[in-house]
Amino acid sequence: MIKVDDIHKSFGQLHVLKGISTEIGKGDVVAIIGPSGSGKSTLLRCMNLLERPTKGKIYIKGQDITDRKTDISRIRQQVGMVFQHFHLFPHMTVLDNLTYAPIRVKGLSKQAARAKGMELLKRVGLSEKADSYPSRLSGGQKQRVAIARSLAMEPEIMLFDEPTSALDPEMVKEVLDVMKSLAHTGITMAIVTHEMGFAREVADRILFLDEGRLMDEAPPAEFFSKPKSERAQQFLEKVL
Amino acid sequence: MNLDFGQIAPSIPYIANGIWVTLQFTLLATVLGFLWGIILAMIKISGIKLLQGFAVVYTSIFRGTPLIVQIALIYFATPQVFGYNISALEAGVLTLTLNSGAYISETIRAGIQAVDKGQREAALSLGVPRGRMMLDIILPQAFKNILPALVNESIALLKESALVSTIGAADLLRRAMIVGAEKYIYFEPLIFVAAIYYLMVMLLTGAARLLERRLRRSD
């Protein structure tokens, strides 16, 4: 589904990604963990080209998205993204947030988009908030709306960039629960997270990044009990 | 000093009709200046060096020379340079548009850049093309932030439109001057138009406040 082939990314002098290669298969749920500044978010943001890799290639469903000729808007319609700070559209109601892209980008009819939107709001438990503006919602509610907004485009891949890091502790669970139920639907997911318990429970595979390199890659049971790299061992000692 | 508004009473309808002329200049220049300002702002953030250079020089010139000189140039020099007999309305609207576009473009540019860049990323990641994103996501938020500045600009335009009286347009000021010249009294007609200008500015300010409150619904 996603193939990352030796990508590098520099911001000026700062070399953030130093040659990362991996593959994420259809329906895989992959958790990307590592210390802050290790390049996790940058790697994720390269997968829908919010950051363009300095070097290397990324394939989504076999198509090279780093190729300048690729219509990236089309690819992004199939790759949903959820951000740490939600980024809901503040000037639209919750339901309009969900229906905007399906109507404007996919050309769905208004009725079809609204029906789909209401169904998704029900799924994340926020039907009664359809006509509210985002500013009226709590952080956890905002993030659930943001997930629903991405799902409204019916993507095959979902990218999560620290989706619970900006939330108050009591709101983390409601968002993780939505993500858990999503993981069981067979959608392909890549999640940058600091929630180790969640990663262990939900992910099929853990990618451990440190200083821009992929240091470890293993199923959670194996990774959390006996990590191969020394850096991963040190990291786990600190966070567990 | 003896004030006698009775003397200008017969001329009051004549002067008051200047409101429509003044409003015509103001509204046309506000709308056109706004559109021109958007275009200039887009050029300034386009990243295309040549166009950017043009927009910067353009803004600098229109902000750096007196408006009355710009009006005079466009009205009096157009027939000479282009052989086109430009009317006072055309010259006035054109100058006010070009001038106000220069000011507004700076306001809009700042407003666009003040919108959280996460909004851009969220829209892009949904597959929204850049043009649509600008139109539906970025600009509405930018305008909400800069609305007070835009209203100030249209108020400034309303007041600056009095300069078109220098090229013969029969606006409020010009009519007051004509009446003054006829009757050899200036205080009464001029204080009358000053009051009308003030009233119009107050109305505009009130309307803007209402609009702003409507836009704040989502806060």
Side-chain angles (χ1 to χ4, degrees):
Chain A
M1 204 65 159
I2 307 174
K3 184 168 176 234
V4 177
D5 185 12
D6 190 33
I7 63 164
H8 292 252
K9 175 70 185 177
S10 303
F11 296 102
Q13 295 284 30
L14 196 65
H15 206 169
V16 182
L17 297 179
K18 301 168 184 165
I20 291 193
S21 302
T22 190
E23 249 178 275
I24 301 176
K26 189 171 168 58
D28 283 0
V29 177
V30 173
I32 305 170
I33 65 176
S36 56
S38 58
K40 312 181 290 289
S41 287
T42 307
L43 171 62
L44 195 77
R45 289 161 60 81
C46 282
M47 292 181 187
N48 67 350
L49 229 58
L50 283 185
E51 305 291 353
R52 181 173 279 280
T54 322
K55 216 184 103 191
K57 291 191 186 312
I58 296 175
Y59 301 88
I60 303 278
K61 293 171 73 183
Q63 196 171 0
D64 179 8
I65 63 168
T66 57
D67 186 341
R68 299 264 173 194
K69 287 193 286 280
T70 302
D71 179 1
I72 189 64
S73 288
R74 282 207 85 78
I75 302 283
R76 283 175 177 147
Q77 290 177 36
Q78 303 163 44
V79 185
M81 186 162 208
V82 174
F83 301 86
Q84 182 176 357
H85 293 288
F86 332 124
H87 301 324
L88 294 177
F89 305 134
H91 58 303
M92 298 181 186
T93 64
V94 164
L95 188 57
D96 288 342
N97 263 278
L98 266 64
T99 58
Y100 169 70
I103 293 173
R104 288 297 185 192
V105 181
K106 264 188 158 179
L108 226 60
S109 77
K110 218 172 162 179
Q111 296 96 305
R114 289 180 80 85
K116 173 91 191 152
M118 286 309 295
E119 182 195 316
L120 283 165
L121 282 180
K122 195 170 157 206
R123 196 158 138 200
V124 298
L126 289 169
S127 303
E128 76 283 7
K129 297 290 184 190
D131 297 319
S132 303
Y133 281 93
S135 57
R136 301 268 173 223
L137 306 181
S138 72
Q141 291 172 331
K142 281 182 194 167
Q143 195 59 298
R144 284 187 280 154
V145 171
I147 293 172
R149 176 177 67 177
S150 284
L151 291 176
M153 289 298 281
E154 300 183 317
E156 294 179 54
I157 300 167
M158 284 285 282
L159 308 175
F160 293 86
D161 190 3
E162 302 197 27
T164 58
S165 298
L167 298 178
D168 291 336
E170 74 267 27
M171 291 170 186
V172 169
K173 189 173 176 298
E174 64 187 62
V175 171
L176 292 184
D177 284 345
V178 167
M179 290 169 63
K180 255 181 236 172
S181 69
L182 196 59
H184 296 138
T185 63
I187 195 169
T188 307
M189 291 165 73
I191 309 161
V192 170
T193 185
H194 293 291
E195 300 286 334
M196 294 304 147
F198 173 76
R200 179 191 295 217
E201 186 187 336
V202 175
D204 304 311
R205 195 152 44 103
I206 306 285
L207 303 187
F208 176 77
L209 260 64
D210 187 44
E211 291 178 357
R213 290 199 173 81
L214 184 57
M215 304 296 282
D216 231 320
E217 187 171 6
E222 191 182 321
F223 177 80
F224 284 104
S225 54
K226 40 180 190 315
K228 278 172 282 192
S229 73
E230 199 177 320
R231 279 296 295 136
Q233 285 165 21
Q234 290 166 355
F235 176 74
L236 287 176
E237 273 165 29
K238 277 187 210 144
V239 298
L240 288 182
Chain B
M1 188 170 76
N2 49 343
L3 294 182
D4 184 5
F5 281 92
Q7 277 194 68
I8 64 157
S11 306
I12 278 182
Y14 171 71
I15 298 178
N17 269 329
I19 290 176
W20 306 117
V21 180
T22 290
L23 276 180
Q24 195 178 15
F25 278 100
T26 308
L27 288 179
L28 283 173
T30 299
V31 172
L32 296 175
F34 180 57
L35 294 177
W36 181 222
I38 294 180
I39 294 172
L40 283 173
M42 292 297 157
I43 289 176
K44 284 177 184 175
I45 59 171
S46 67
I48 304 168
K49 282 273 173 329
L50 198 70
L51 284 174
Q52 274 176 325
F54 159 77
V56 168
V57 171
Y58 174 92
T59 305
S60 164
I61 289 173
F62 273 89
R63 295 212 295 192
T65 55
L67 181 54
I68 194 164
V69 173
Q70 296 166 17
I71 288 192
L73 250 178
I74 288 183
Y75 182 65
F76 294 110
T78 299
Q80 179 198 336
V81 177
F82 297 103
Y84 174 69
N85 211 348
I86 195 165
S87 73
L89 176 68
E90 288 164 341
V93 169
L94 181 62
T95 315
L96 291 172
T97 297
L98 293 177
N99 182 275
S100 137
Y103 282 92
I104 286 185
S105 69
E106 276 304 294
T107 310
I108 295 175
R109 186 190 56 75
I112 289 172
Q113 286 174 342
V115 174
D116 181 4
K117 77 174 174 36
Q119 291 292 312
R120 197 179 143 269
E121 295 186 346
L124 289 180
S125 72
L126 285 166
V128 181
R130 279 169 190 280
R132 272 240 84 91
M133 169 188 80
M134 212 18 127
L135 223 53
D136 297 336
I137 307 295
I138 308 297
L139 286 180
Q141 295 183 57
F143 287 141
K144 195 171 121 180
N145 296 335
I146 63 176
L147 187 68
L150 290 179
V151 171
N152 282 340
E153 177 61 25
S154 70
I155 288 173
L157 268 177
L158 173 64
K159 293 185 288 180
E160 283 165 354
S161 77
L163 286 175
V164 300
S165 61
T166 62
I167 54 171
D171 72 331
L172 278 169
L173 177 58
R174 174 119 181 118
R175 287 173 190 234
M177 294 299 283
I178 289 172
V179 169
E182 267 171 10
K183 309 205 190 259
Y184 302 110
I185 52 164
Y186 283 95
F187 183 79
E188 289 87 347
L190 284 175
I191 203 76
F192 178 62
V193 293
I196 294 181
Y197 277 116
Y198 183 69
L199 213 69
M200 286 162 66
V201 169
M202 286 302 116
L203 281 174
L204 206 56
T205 314
R209 213 164 283 152
L210 279 179
L211 182 64
E212 226 174 299
R213 204 172 304 154
R214 215 184 101 80
L215 285 174
R216 296 252 174 266
R217 268 186 325 178
S218 59
D219 283 350

